[in-house]
Amino acid sequence: MEFDLKTIEALAPDQASLSAASKLTKRSNWPRLEKHEPQALIWGECQGSGSNPYRVVVDTGDHGYKCTCPSRKFPCKHTLALMWIAATAPASFAAAESSPEWVNNWLGRRRKTTPPPAQPIEGAAAKSIDEAARTDDSAAVEDGAAVERREAAQRKRAEDTRQAVSAALDELDQWIADQLRLGLSGFVDGSSDRCRRIAARLVDMKATALAGRIDEIPSRLMALRSEEKPDAAIRELGKLVLLAKAWRSAPDDPELKRLVSTSETREQVLANPDARQVESFWEVLGEEIESRRDGLVSHSTWLLDLKCATPQFAVLLDVAALRSAVAGNDDAMRRGADDILETIGFLATATTAAKLIDEVVAAGMPPAAPSLSVLRLNAALAEHQSKTDT
């Protein structure tokens, strides 16, 4: 049995669900749409507000469904939207040779029945799929009237950001010249305070990504032997000079904007028609989880495209707060956060270590966790070493 709009209207729990579903029928909201005709199944992944998309599967024969979202409405807006797409744009679904494991798990748990045709619930508030579509269309018309104002505001914000970043790079050039004038030895010894001050200044001037890069220089220097630090400092400062020069020559280059100011959101990348999008099977080659000086955890996963004849690689980068990584549901991120806490003590004073410990304990890590004991010990050793050096 295929879907029609009247069936979807009857299945919807209320008018609000239909209106919400109408806003999710755009193809850009669904990175994956597939069907398996022998099993009369359609499924898809709808990008929600979280990092992982909601998985939706619908049996077109008996209208059974399952969605991983936490909604208490049945069917939810994601399920209704998937049915809506099947009714109005069936060509959007790619034919699959077999159903994925999560769909098979759902099939194994459910009892397939043959329900009567969907009928409106007596006494329920009136629902109209046409009204939902009209609401969406009128919103689009209203949005169209404001497009010019919105675009003008975006252009002004972009120009303001460009001017602020340009001024930040001028200030960075002067800062680098000061470090060279005062001597590399003094820079190496006082890199933590000096980098922190200029990084804070760059954040105020909207060069956020560049500030994060500068804030990580002290940790790189501290990991080296004393005789290696001056050369490493020259290399780090030289990279900053080259990056500033490259940005000035092409301030609108997306990669340079990521390195200097900020990166696009996932929604902006998906909405960009020039952005390269590849659907394939990927093999995980390796991963790295590390803590950054700005308190975030960076999780990098290197992937290999298995469908491409020539080697094609990709990097999946996920950045989360250390506190969120401890409290979250991602086992890999939690293990990574625990490993990080065992190794970043040399970056922390006793004060900053205590603050970090308070944060992760508040997020759910046991106060007696071995990693926190190691962090306390490393911080104490670092504090003792600093007093000995002075």
Side-chain angles (χ1 to χ4, degrees):
M1 181 186 297
E2 297 297 333
F3 285 106
D4 57 57
L5 296 181
K6 287 298 181 184
T7 300
I8 300 170
E9 181 181 283
L11 289 171
D14 51 39
Q15 182 63 38
S17 297
L18 280 175
S19 299
S22 71
K23 299 174 183 178
L24 296 176
T25 55
K26 296 179 181 179
R27 184 64 179 86
S28 59
N29 293 322
W30 298 82
R32 182 181 187 183
L33 285 173
E34 293 180 340
K35 63 181 179 180
H36 190 256
E37 293 183 354
Q39 292 179 293
L41 292 175
I42 56 174
W43 61 84
E45 294 181 351
C46 182
Q47 186 59 48
S49 57
S51 58
N52 297 320
Y54 296 127
R55 290 175 167 177
V56 192
V57 57
V58 174
D59 188 325
T60 61
D62 64 4
H63 299 165
Y65 55 84
K66 172 66 177 177
C67 180
T68 59
C69 79
S71 174
R72 295 183 180 180
K73 292 185 178 182
F74 304 100
C76 66
K77 62 182 180 180
H78 309 101
T79 303
L80 293 172
L82 187 69
M83 296 177 179
W84 199 324
I85 296 172
T88 58
S92 300
F93 293 82
E97 296 180 358
S98 60
S99 53
E101 183 179 356
W102 60 272
V103 172
N104 293 333
N105 291 339
W106 173 71
L107 289 174
R109 292 193 302 268
R110 71 184 295 255
R111 231 183 227 182
K112 192 163 182 174
T113 60
T114 305
Q119 298 291 339
I121 300 174
E122 187 175 351
K127 300 173 294 183
S128 171
I129 202 164
D130 293 333
E131 179 64 26
R134 277 198 300 272
T135 300
D136 195 42
D137 291 342
S138 62
V141 171
E142 292 172 3
D143 288 343
V147 164
E148 183 58 35
R149 291 195 302 273
R150 204 162 46 239
E151 290 182 349
Q154 290 174 350
R155 288 193 295 269
K156 185 178 185 305
R157 285 195 299 270
E159 181 60 29
D160 290 344
T161 299
R162 187 180 296 110
Q163 293 179 2
V165 172
S166 179
L169 295 181
D170 291 341
E171 193 160 322
L172 176 65
D173 286 343
Q174 183 60 51
W175 178 81
I176 293 175
D178 291 342
Q179 307 316 306
L180 297 177
R181 178 175 55 81
L182 296 173
L184 289 176
S185 177
F187 173 72
V188 169
D189 293 339
S191 61
S192 183
D193 290 338
R194 295 188 187 186
C195 289
R196 187 178 298 114
R197 284 197 295 269
I198 186 63
R201 180 64 179 151
L202 294 181
V203 168
D204 293 339
M205 303 177 77
K206 301 184 179 182
T208 309
L210 187 58
R213 185 184 186 94
I214 293 174
D215 208 23
E216 293 173 0
I217 290 177
S219 63
R220 297 195 185 99
L221 296 179
M222 293 177 70
L224 301 174
R225 296 193 300 270
S226 298
E227 62 272 18
E228 296 174 333
K229 291 181 180 180
D231 289 341
I234 284 289
R235 287 195 298 270
E236 294 293 341
L237 296 177
K239 291 175 184 177
L240 296 177
V241 172
L242 293 175
L243 185 55
K245 185 175 181 179
W247 186 91
R248 288 188 178 102
S249 64
D252 294 323
D253 182 82
E255 184 61 29
L256 291 173
K257 289 171 80 172
R258 293 187 194 103
L259 295 173
V260 174
S261 53
T262 185
S263 60
E264 308 99 322
T265 64
R266 184 182 190 279
E267 290 73 20
Q268 288 172 325
V269 172
L270 290 176
N272 182 3
D274 297 326
R276 185 182 181 191
Q277 299 186 26
V278 179
E279 294 185 6
S280 184
F281 294 104
W282 301 87
E283 179 180 353
V284 176
L285 300 179
E287 63 178 349
E288 180 183 35
I289 302 177
E290 60 179 352
S291 175
R292 303 188 336 190
R293 291 271 296 187
D294 54 9
L296 299 178
V297 177
S298 175
H299 185 183
S300 302
T301 306
W302 283 267
L303 306 170
L304 172 65
D305 187 351
L306 297 180
K307 285 187 176 181
C308 188
T310 57
Q312 179 171 268
F313 303 93
V315 178
L316 179 63
L317 181 62
D318 187 15
V319 179
L322 182 61
R323 183 172 176 176
S324 300
V326 171
N329 297 321
D330 191 319
D331 290 338
M333 291 294 281
R334 281 204 304 270
R335 289 195 302 272
D338 200 65
D339 292 340
I340 288 163
L341 290 171
E342 292 184 2
T343 58
I344 65 173
F346 73 93
L347 295 177
T349 65
T351 303
T352 56
K355 182 176 182 295
L356 179 58
I357 290 171
D358 288 343
E359 288 183 356
V360 296
V361 168
M365 179 170 283
S371 59
L372 297 187
S373 299
V374 174
L375 177 58
R376 293 186 185 99
L377 176 61
N378 286 348
L381 292 174
E383 189 76 6
H384 175 73
Q385 183 64 41
S386 64
K387 291 179 180 178
T388 304
D389 292 342
T390 55

